[in-house]
Amino acid sequence: MSTAGQVIRCKAAVAWEAGKPLSVEEVEVAPPQKNEVRVKIHFTSLCHTDVYFWEAKGQNPLFPLFPRILGHEAGGVVESVGEGVTDVQLGDHVLPIFTGECKECPHCLSEASNMCDLLRINTERGGMLHDGKTRFSKDGKPIYHFLGTSTFSEYTVVHVGQVAKINPEAPLDKVCVLSCGMSTGPDFTTTLLFFSILDTYEHMTYSSSLLAGFGATVNVAKPKKGGSVAVFGLGAVGLAAAEGARVCEASRIIGIDLNPNRFEEAKKFGFTEFVNPKDHNKPVQEVIAEMTGGGVDCSIECTGSTQAMVSAFECVHDGWGVAVLVGVPSRDDSFKTHPINFLNERTLRGTFFGNYKPLSDIPGVVEKYMKKELELDKFITHSVPFLDINKAFEYMLQGEGLRCMIRMDA
């Protein structure tokens, strides 16, 4: 029997309080309203952003949003659609995305931007855009949304501009990792919501997302075949940046990290050589310049460290070098570099969600995976049934692995 237009009762992992284990229990999910889609989630995974807001570090301390259903990286199937929805229909396979594409605002109409005015990330919004109300409840009491996705639920309601329709043959337990590109870091606040993803350089909080790093390389840095790329930070975002360099057929991919224990595993992602700044008595940008005869063609900074940002910019070759910043710095951070670095025709750029437009571009990235041009399986290191979702949090807090897949039907 069709459930369209009806309230659905299903299991969801609810965060009732900051830092307390999620509680898997039955909730009510209301039907989608105007421009909304209700999605049956098949697989979801955990990003450090979820942990950060679960700990309430990313929330307004005066108005923390609890109870809340977290989760923003998932794959599922459309169960029903609300008024005005024509882009997707019942049975479509989709990836919910934390940011969106309304296709009407100046940013969406621009080929140069993916920062939608209507659906840009907002961590403080606990309800839906249409009426400000939540579609989740338990015993008549509302449960807040997270990033407009809330994928830690068997069913969720998402704005139609935040669901990317994909090839139904694509395995949802693999391609769902493509739906994330946002993260948090030290002192991350709502003033930083326009930026992309933080990884790790030393002992900072890190995350594991694919598209931010991958897109930073293939869409922004755009290394040429046979070129050289330096990647600062070998967490999952840095590994994804290296995957992008591999896809672009770069001949040298240099990994920079203060933790040498990461080097061996990173070889699987295409790195050809590594540098530990602690091993040298000179700035790492000088080391890289000496290694490469003047500097690399491109560098990708995936740490959030301003020191690494300076090094990433100053290690690219004059005349054509491009440095791309992916990491999110602390709120009050700043850095300086000599203006001559710009006058000598080095380029410094930033990126949000890898410069991908969610609805327009993500289906094409999925096709790259289907054609075996992009490897995703190596990013998924753990898997747990939905009832054991707190185990995924343990893996994340202990720094184990890259990505834990949560199986909703298990």
Side-chain angles (χ1 to χ4, degrees):
M1 181 181 295
S2 172
T3 51
Q6 301 178 23
V7 172
I8 288 179
R9 289 175 173 80
C10 69
K11 289 186 176 64
V14 183
W16 290 101
E17 297 180 58
K20 297 294 180 65
L22 303 189
S23 176
V24 178
E25 51 194 277
E26 186 177 87
V27 301
E28 295 84 39
V29 185
Q33 302 301 306
K34 184 177 181 180
N35 293 327
E36 296 174 1
V37 178
R38 190 160 59 184
V39 179
K40 178 177 174 57
I41 299 298
H42 286 248
F43 297 93
T44 186
S45 54
L46 181 67
C47 172
H48 197 276
T49 302
D50 301 305
V51 177
Y52 196 74
F53 282 85
W54 165 69
E55 293 175 329
K57 293 178 179 178
Q59 300 197 42
N60 184 330
L62 299 178
F63 305 103
L65 291 180
F66 291 106
R68 202 172 201 183
I69 296 176
L70 301 168
H72 63 284
E73 183 173 300
V77 177
V78 173
E79 175 270 337
S80 60
V81 301
E83 176 189 348
V85 174
T86 58
D87 290 348
V88 296
Q89 60 186 358
L90 175 68
D92 283 344
H93 287 218
V94 295
L95 302 183
I97 311 291
F98 73 94
T99 185
E101 183 182 352
C102 73
K103 299 184 178 181
E104 296 178 354
C105 73
H107 282 279
C108 287
L109 295 175
S110 168
E111 294 183 358
S113 176
N114 65 341
M115 301 177 71
C116 176
D117 289 332
L118 178 66
L119 299 169
R120 193 176 301 185
I121 179 175
N122 185 336
T123 62
E124 292 191 328
R125 184 187 301 127
M128 299 298 293
L129 278 175
H130 173 61
D131 55 11
K133 297 179 180 179
T134 176
R135 303 293 175 256
F136 297 110
S137 63
K138 182 173 177 61
D139 299 328
K141 297 180 180 180
I143 301 174
Y144 294 112
H145 293 250
F146 179 61
L147 298 179
T149 52
S150 293
T151 62
F152 292 168
S153 175
E154 292 179 317
Y155 288 86
T156 188
V157 178
V158 186
H159 191 284
V160 67
Q162 288 183 248
V163 288
K165 179 180 175 180
I166 63 169
N167 185 341
E169 298 300 319
L172 290 173
D173 60 330
K174 301 296 190 298
V175 299
C176 76
V177 299
L178 294 173
S179 63
C180 173
M182 170 268 192
S183 179
T184 56
D187 301 320
F188 182 86
T189 69
T190 52
T191 61
L192 291 174
L193 294 180
F194 300 100
F195 296 98
S196 187
I197 196 155
L198 171 70
D199 210 312
T200 179
Y201 192 61
E202 190 170 18
H203 300 297
M204 293 191 290
T205 304
Y206 70 94
S207 179
S208 47
S209 172
L210 181 60
L211 279 188
F214 185 79
T217 305
V218 301
N219 292 336
V220 186
K222 299 179 181 178
K224 296 180 179 178
K225 181 178 180 179
S228 55
V229 179
V231 178
F232 287 75
L234 303 186
V237 180
L239 299 180
E243 177 72 4
R246 183 193 66 80
V247 169
C248 291
E249 300 184 73
S251 62
R252 297 184 72 177
I253 307 175
I254 304 169
I256 301 94
D257 202 290
L258 297 167
N259 183 358
N261 293 330
R262 296 182 166 202
F263 295 166
E264 187 62 33
E265 182 70 17
K267 291 178 182 177
K268 299 177 183 178
F269 294 82
F271 286 98
T272 58
E273 50 210 297
F274 301 93
V275 176
N276 183 346
K278 291 181 179 179
D279 293 341
H280 303 274
N281 57 8
K282 63 179 68 175
V284 68
Q285 56 265 44
E286 294 182 15
V287 175
I288 294 172
E290 291 175 3
M291 291 171 57
T292 57
V296 290
D297 300 314
C298 310
S299 69
I300 315 294
E301 186 284 317
C302 302
T303 75
S305 160
T306 54
Q307 179 182 350
M309 292 176 183
V310 171
S311 298
F313 179 48
E314 295 183 354
C315 82
V316 298
H317 206 290
D318 59 6
W320 62 79
V322 177
V324 182
L325 305 185
V326 183
V328 180
S330 297
R331 177 176 56 187
D332 298 323
D333 278 351
S334 62
F335 67 84
K336 64 179 181 180
T337 186
H338 200 284
I340 197 67
N341 289 315
F342 292 97
L343 297 175
N344 284 340
E345 300 184 5
R346 293 180 176 90
T347 299
L348 180 64
R349 295 193 59 182
T351 180
F352 170 73
F353 196 50
N355 277 43
Y356 286 107
K357 290 181 181 289
L359 276 59
S360 300
D361 297 335
I362 300 307
V365 182
V366 170
E367 290 308 310
K368 285 184 177 293
Y369 171 76
M370 297 297 286
K371 296 176 182 177
K372 302 187 184 303
E373 298 173 6
L374 170 63
E375 298 177 10
L376 297 178
D377 301 45
K378 58 190 177 185
F379 286 90
I380 301 168
T381 54
H382 295 82
S383 176
V384 297
F386 186 40
L387 291 178
D388 291 337
I389 188 171
N390 288 300
K391 185 66 177 179
F393 278 73
E394 292 177 20
Y395 288 139
M396 177 70 71
L397 293 171
Q398 294 167 5
E400 295 184 22
L402 296 175
R403 201 32 127 233
C404 181
M405 192 59 54
I406 300 164
R407 309 185 304 276
M408 302 300 289
D409 60 351

